[in-house]
Amino acid sequence: MKTVEKYAVLVVWALIIGFFSWRSDAFGSTSTVKLILSTQTVILIATLGVMVSLAVQEFDLSIGSVVGFGGCMVAVLDGVHGWAPGPAIIVSVLVCAVFGMLNAALSVLLGIPSIIVTLGTGTLLTGITLGITDSKVVTGISVKTVRFMTDPFLFGIPAPFYLGLLLCLVAWFVLQHTPLGRRMVFIAENREVARLAGLRVTLIRAGALVATATLGGLAGIVLAGTNSAANPQAGSYYLLPTFAAAFLGSTTIVPGRFNAWGAFVAVYFLTTGITGLQYLGYAGWPEQVFYGGSLVAAVTLSHIAGHRRMPSVA
């Protein structure tokens, strides 16, 4: 039963690939595989960010705003002010990390629920993003940055995909093979018991929120480089997909826990279904149906799986 639960999404994913490959010759082509793998890196990185905070039961609803801000920040520094790509990227990531510190200070230190804090600070950041871009699409990103984000790197797939894989590997190792990862699980189960056991609950929760904002900013930079421009209103699109993928990922590989490879599978599982429907001529609505329906189903299944694990944890 546990094996079925762990790999059910993978089995359904394989069935979906088989079905759409049968219905559409173009879907099963190598070009489609490359397209799916190379166009979802932004969602993958943002999902990993959300997953880190969810792993300690913090809900960061500002992730979409951070993605939008990170992309616009690097575009303004690089494309408008003429900064070199390296410093522009580093500063953009650091500013996003500072924003994560603000979320952590309000939520962890002052005790305001993170879901409320990040809803407000995300709206604030959206306004700042519109301000620094004058509510316009920012262009002029350096050719080096665009080429790095879009040129084939290995097997015809751009470098950002492999960056996403590397981040998955790091997140997997930290969450499942280090004392920090075990402490995060303990905190998610019961914060007060974890505190009484001597764990640095406040620091770990704050660090998770900072990591979420940092990865969100990195995802925004990838988005801007891939598009060779930054839209100040693009970030809002990434809120639902990242949460849908994070929760769906918690139902596979390690059911009941937010895990990196589950998130990876969920991102590309959802994208495969949406792409397949588009190949069959269904446009517009599949994304909303897949992401919305998957979020509801995944939260339900994750909740059930989490309760099943409680006796073994105790």
Side-chain angles (χ1 to χ4, degrees):
M1 184 64 181
K2 288 184 178 180
T3 302
V4 173
E5 190 176 12
K6 285 176 65 175
Y7 301 114
V9 175
L10 284 170
V11 172
V12 175
W13 188 16
L15 292 174
I16 288 177
I17 292 172
F19 172 76
F20 286 122
S21 297
W22 169 59
R23 291 296 305 274
S24 172
D25 293 335
F27 179 83
S29 66
T30 303
S31 60
T32 300
V33 175
K34 292 179 180 178
L35 177 67
I36 290 174
L37 292 178
S38 61
T39 58
Q40 299 304 306
T41 306
V42 175
I43 293 179
L44 175 61
I45 296 175
T47 298
L48 291 174
V50 165
M51 180 198 70
V52 173
S53 56
L54 287 174
V56 291
Q57 292 297 299
E58 298 292 347
F59 293 80
D60 191 342
L61 298 185
S62 67
I63 185 66
S65 300
V66 178
V67 171
F69 174 79
C72 288
M73 183 74 174
V74 76
V76 168
L77 294 177
D78 185 346
V80 177
H81 297 294
W83 284 36
I89 290 172
I90 291 172
V91 169
S92 298
V93 170
L94 288 176
V95 172
C96 289
V98 170
F99 177 76
M101 293 177 188
L102 172 63
N103 284 338
L106 294 173
S107 179
V108 178
L109 297 182
L110 297 184
I112 306 171
S114 57
I115 194 170
I116 302 299
V117 167
T118 56
L119 181 62
T121 56
T123 304
L124 170 65
L125 192 60
T126 298
I128 294 173
T129 304
L130 291 170
I132 65 173
T133 61
D134 197 24
S135 301
K136 298 176 182 178
V137 175
V138 182
T139 58
I141 297 175
S142 67
V143 175
K144 288 184 179 179
T145 303
V146 174
R147 285 180 176 174
F148 175 77
M149 299 295 182
T150 58
D151 284 357
F153 177 72
L154 188 63
F155 303 118
I157 302 171
F161 170 76
Y162 298 98
L163 171 62
L165 274 181
L166 177 61
L167 290 173
C168 282
L169 182 64
V170 172
W172 163 77
F173 181 77
V174 171
L175 290 176
Q176 293 183 230
H177 296 280
T178 66
L180 175 59
R182 291 189 288 273
R183 289 166 186 165
M184 291 174 74
V185 173
F186 196 6
I187 291 170
E189 294 293 341
N190 194 312
R191 289 178 186 172
E192 185 59 24
V193 172
R195 185 185 66 80
L196 293 174
L199 299 188
R200 304 177 71 177
V201 176
T202 299
L203 181 62
I204 293 173
R205 289 172 58 205
L209 287 168
V210 173
T212 297
T214 303
L215 288 172
L218 181 60
I221 291 167
V222 172
L223 175 65
T226 301
N227 293 337
S228 69
N231 186 337
Q233 297 181 341
S236 59
Y237 166 80
Y238 292 93
L239 176 61
L240 181 59
T242 53
F243 272 89
F247 275 99
L248 182 59
S250 71
T251 67
T252 188
I253 311 300
V254 187
R257 291 184 184 175
F258 295 98
N259 65 94
W261 296 121
F264 179 88
V265 169
V267 167
Y268 290 102
F269 168 83
L270 293 169
T271 303
T272 301
I274 294 167
T275 304
L277 288 174
Q278 290 173 341
Y279 269 79
L280 296 183
Y282 300 99
W285 59 266
E287 278 190 90
Q288 305 302 321
V289 170
F290 256 78
Y291 286 132
S294 296
L295 179 58
V296 173
V299 169
T300 302
L301 293 173
S302 179
H303 178 76
I304 294 171
H307 275 280
R308 285 180 179 175
R309 294 184 63 92
M310 284 181 67
S312 62
V313 173

